[in-house]
Structure formats: C-alpha cells, structure tokens
Amino acid sequence: MARQIGNILRNLDWQIIIIYVFLVFAGWVNIYSAVYDETASSIFDVSQKYGKQLIWITAAFLLAIGIIILDSRFYFSFAYVFYFFILLSLILVYFIAPEIKGARSWIEVGPLRVQPSEFAKLATSVVIARYLGSFGVKVTRWSDALKLFILLFLPASLIVLQGDAGSALVFATFFFVFYREGMPFFIILLGVWAALIFSLSIIWGGTALSVIITIISLLAFYFYAFQKTHRLSLIVVALITLAFVVPITVYFIFDLTLNPAIIFLLGFALVAVPALIYSYRKRSLTLLLLFAIGLGSVAISQSVEYVFDNILEEHQQKRINVFFGLESDPKGSEFNVIQSKIAIGSGDLTGKGFLNGTQTKNDFVPEQSTDFIFCTIGEEWGFLGSFLIIGLFVYLILRILYDAEQQRTAFSRIYGYCVASILFIHILINIGMTIGLMPVIGIPLPFFSYGGSSLWGFTLLLFIFVKLDANRDELIQ
C-alpha cells in the first residue's frame, strides 16, 4: 500500500499542482482584499465571503486528493453516466432554481448553492474524450461530427435556457480540441466568419448584407482567376454574384415591405438555379461551398434581431450594444468596466499594496470578488503582479498541453486538450472584459473568483487530468 501511494505521488506532475495551490491561495487573498471590512474579526470569519471561500478551498483540496486516489478507469467507464446526470440537473435547474439577476442557474441545497453549469463543462470534456477517443471515430466523418455537435449542443442549449449565455459560449472552445484531432482549420474560420457577420449585422444592420455580397463576389472571382485546380467559368462567377446582388438590390430600390430574407431567397432561387445545375453536373465542390457560405451568412445576418429579442436578456442586449459603441450607459451597463479599468490603471507598475486599493476598498467596482476579481490584482499588485498571474496561467496551460501530447491513450490526450481549452477561454474572456476588450458576459476567473461551484468545477477538471497523466502508462479501455 505504501509503495502504491509512493508511486502515485512520484508520477504526479507537481508543477501543475504547485501552480494550482498558489493560484487558489492568491485568489483567496484577493477575495479577502475585495470584500475587506475593518470591522471583521478575522480572515477566517465564515460569515464573510473569504471565510466561506476558505471552506470551499478545503473541500476542493479534499476533492483533489480523492481524485488522485481513485482509479483512472473510473472517469472513462462512467463518462456517459456523469454526462447524463449533469443534463438532468441542468433540466431540473430550469424548473426549481430561483431567478437571480435574470438567470436560473443555481440549485439550493440547504445553505449551499450549486451551479450545475460549472460541472457541465467537466462532464462534456469527459464524454467528448470518451467518444472521440473511441476506436474508429473520426472528427472528419460527418456522422461522427454530428454526434460530437449534439454532445456540445445539449448542455449549451440548456444553459442558454437558464439565461446564462456567457457560460454557454464557453462550449465553443471544444472546436479547438476537434481541430487537434483532425478537423479542418476551415471549420474554425467558418466560426470566425459567422461571429464576424453577426457582429457586423449588430453594428450596421441591413448594410451588413452588402458586405456579405461583396466578399462572396470577391471569393468567386478569386477562384476564377487564381485557383486553377478549382477553376470556375466566368459565366458561373457572374451567376454567383447576381444570386446575391439582384435580390438585395431589388429590396433596397423598391423599398418592399417584405422581410429582406424572403426577398433574398426568392431572388436567389431564380438566379442561382442555372449555377447550381452546372455545379451538380461538374461536381464543383467549390461552387457549392460558396453558395452555402453565402446562404449561411444571410441567415446569420437576418437572425440577429430574433436572437436579440427572443434569446438575450435585456441586460445582455445593453452590454453588447455598449461594447460595440451603439449606446452609452456609463451609470448602468458600462459602469463596471469603467470602474474596473480605472482600478487596473491606477495600479501602475507595482500596485498600491495589499488592502490599499482605493477603488477596491470603496466598493467602486460591482461584483469585484467574482467576475471582476482581476481588477483587484491590477490595482493592488500592479502590472508586475498581473504579469505574474497571467504568466502562471499561460505556463499552466502550456504544461497541460505538453503533458497531453505525452499520453499513450486518445482519451487522456483529448481530455487534456479539453482542460487547456476551457481554462484558456475563461482566462481570455474574464481578463478581457475587465479591461474592456471583451463584452461583459459574466464568467469566472479560474481559481480566483469567489464561489464554491466554480472552484470545485475547475479543481475536478484539472485534477482528473493530473491523475490520468500520472497513470499515462496504463492503457485505458
């Protein structure tokens, strides 16, 4: 028994564990600073947030120890069970959870509030690793790709129904995992393109359709002029261009009351039929792809208004409009970011010192112990302290990726990439929104933000990989 424990301890990646412990305690210290009250008796006062966080930290350490002791095959064997359990909990939340700040995300268990969406990322990571790591499964095969999409879509859509679109956005990071496993980079570019079209449609409205037309036309002429292996005839290129130009031109010139999407589809159907027949006979995948991108772009552009009115909450609409500069709300949606940037900027090179942050002490930044915890780091630790924390996060992610590439099983490798991707997107968005480079969507900074569900979720996520890595020579079947 002693020898077995010794082997486990010897094989653990202690670099990851030491960084984790440092970040967790640094987070606890910053939570203490963010909610510091001179009348509080002790840093261990459980009536305060930092006292409660210490209890959750203790529980997180116990969870980490339990994970390390547990057999590695457990996570592989019960991946689907855990996934379906989380789906059920996400459905249950929708019916029994109280509404807090426009979202139904927490299940109350006595004095505790548990947020299933924080564990949904873990469950999805395990099930993605289990399915994609199975023998014969390829992300390039349409049937397998569809199943992977469903595995992502189910928890993400349930989280959106709870009113927590920010947490649902995190699931898009799994496409980086798919890219590592062979998905063409072109799919990533399509995702970026879709986000660009959606953003342009928010900023410019109907004008975005003109941008779509121009870009699609340029792509068509590019393939005509330069890509000899995918050469299209000039007639087909003209038809591609007309298929997009004609219906929109008719709409704007005649100022019809019909929905522009309907006008577009009618005009597109009339003009594009000859080109589609040609592409079918010549089996021109390039041509069909251009049409698909064009139709998809128009569909995305026309869906903006529906998404805004029927999916996003009012506060989320305001945050997006403020981010794109479409409206100003310095005392409302914009207030958090303004105060956060003031706090971070005032830290200068070395910071104001522990408990000496004026923005922090005077509660100028709302949600400073949770979503905006990074501004406490910036104000009190300065540029150097912020650089240290970001540097540790970057090294942690790189270390996970390095270990993932050393794995002997696809399950462990894929799961490692899932862990790195989730940590990356959380860090990028959270820090980005505190400095005004990302819209405020309310997701926590790993190991720093106040909250038991977040800390436990990230701890489980990380230490399952630590355990898998420690047993990398053990083939999981």
Side-chain angles (χ1 to χ4, degrees), residues 76 129-138 141 144 410-411:
F76 178 86
R130 171 68 190 271
Y131 178 71
L132 188 54
S134 301
F135 179 77
V137 174
K138 296 182 179 179
R141 186 181 295 129
D144 293 337
F411 174 79

Side-chain angles (χ1 to χ4, degrees), residues 40-333:
S41 59
S42 168
I43 192 173
F44 303 104
D45 186 353
V46 295
S47 66
Q48 302 294 324
K49 284 187 175 181
Y50 43 80
K52 295 176 182 177
Q53 187 73 5
L54 183 58
I55 295 175
W56 294 331
I57 289 173
T58 304
F61 287 171
L62 293 175
L63 283 173
I65 294 171
I67 290 169
I68 290 173
I69 294 174
L70 202 59
D71 193 314
S72 300
R73 289 169 291 190
F74 173 84
Y75 314 112
F76 178 86
S77 301
F78 289 91
Y80 290 109
V81 175
F82 186 31
Y83 177 76
F84 285 115
F85 175 77
I86 289 297
L87 289 183
L88 290 175
S89 66
L90 290 173
I91 296 171
L92 187 64
V93 164
Y94 186 73
F95 293 101
I96 69 170
E99 185 171 328
I100 301 174
K101 297 180 181 179
R104 296 180 180 271
S105 303
W106 292 270
I107 295 177
E108 294 185 349
V109 183
L112 294 178
R113 286 194 309 178
V114 180
Q115 189 174 4
S117 61
E118 291 296 335
F119 301 98
K121 290 169 280 191
L122 166 62
T124 306
S125 298
V126 175
V127 80
I128 288 293
R130 171 68 190 271
Y131 178 71
L132 188 54
S134 301
F135 179 77
V137 174
K138 296 182 179 179
V139 73
T140 53
R141 186 181 295 129
W142 282 106
S143 58
D144 293 337
L146 178 61
K147 293 174 184 176
L148 287 169
F149 175 78
I150 293 173
L151 290 175
L152 292 183
F153 176 79
L154 289 176
S157 59
L158 290 172
I159 292 172
V160 169
L161 290 176
Q162 296 173 9
D164 189 5
S167 295
L169 183 64
V170 173
F171 286 81
T173 196
F174 285 99
F175 281 90
F176 291 111
V177 181
F178 300 157
Y179 170 67
R180 164 60 182 84
E181 294 303 312
M183 184 186 74
F185 184 67
F186 180 71
I187 305 298
I188 301 288
L189 292 180
L190 284 181
V192 174
W193 170 255
L196 178 63
I197 292 298
F198 193 86
S199 301
L200 290 177
S201 300
I202 293 173
I203 299 170
W204 295 335
T207 310
L209 290 175
S210 302
V211 177
I212 296 171
I213 295 166
T214 303
I215 295 176
I216 295 297
S217 300
L218 289 174
L219 280 174
F221 279 101
Y222 169 77
F223 280 108
Y224 168 72
F226 301 107
Q227 295 294 316
K228 294 181 180 180
T229 56
H230 301 285
R231 203 85 182 245
L232 304 176
S233 70
L234 185 60
I235 295 176
V236 173
V237 170
L239 287 172
I240 293 175
T241 304
L242 288 174
F244 291 96
V245 172
V246 170
I248 304 300
T249 303
V250 169
Y251 173 75
F252 282 110
I253 291 179
F254 294 96
D255 193 23
L256 300 177
T257 57
L258 287 174
N259 187 297
I262 297 176
I263 295 290
F264 177 85
L265 290 174
L266 290 174
F268 186 88
L270 292 174
V271 178
V273 167
L276 288 174
I277 294 174
Y278 175 89
S279 67
Y280 176 76
R281 289 181 175 178
K282 298 293 184 180
R283 304 192 182 281
S284 174
L285 180 62
T286 302
L287 180 58
L288 290 173
L289 188 60
L290 287 173
F291 276 122
I293 293 174
L295 283 172
S297 301
V298 173
I300 292 170
S301 178
Q302 292 302 307
S303 70
V304 169
E305 185 176 350
Y306 176 83
V307 171
F308 252 60
D309 294 341
N310 298 277
I311 296 179
L312 297 181
E313 301 290 338
E314 184 177 354
H315 68 279
Q316 293 170 330
Q317 297 173 19
K318 278 187 170 293
R319 288 174 179 176
I320 293 175
N321 286 331
V322 166
F323 177 75
F324 285 118
L326 301 177
E327 63 178 88
S328 179
D329 189 18
K331 294 184 178 180
S333 300

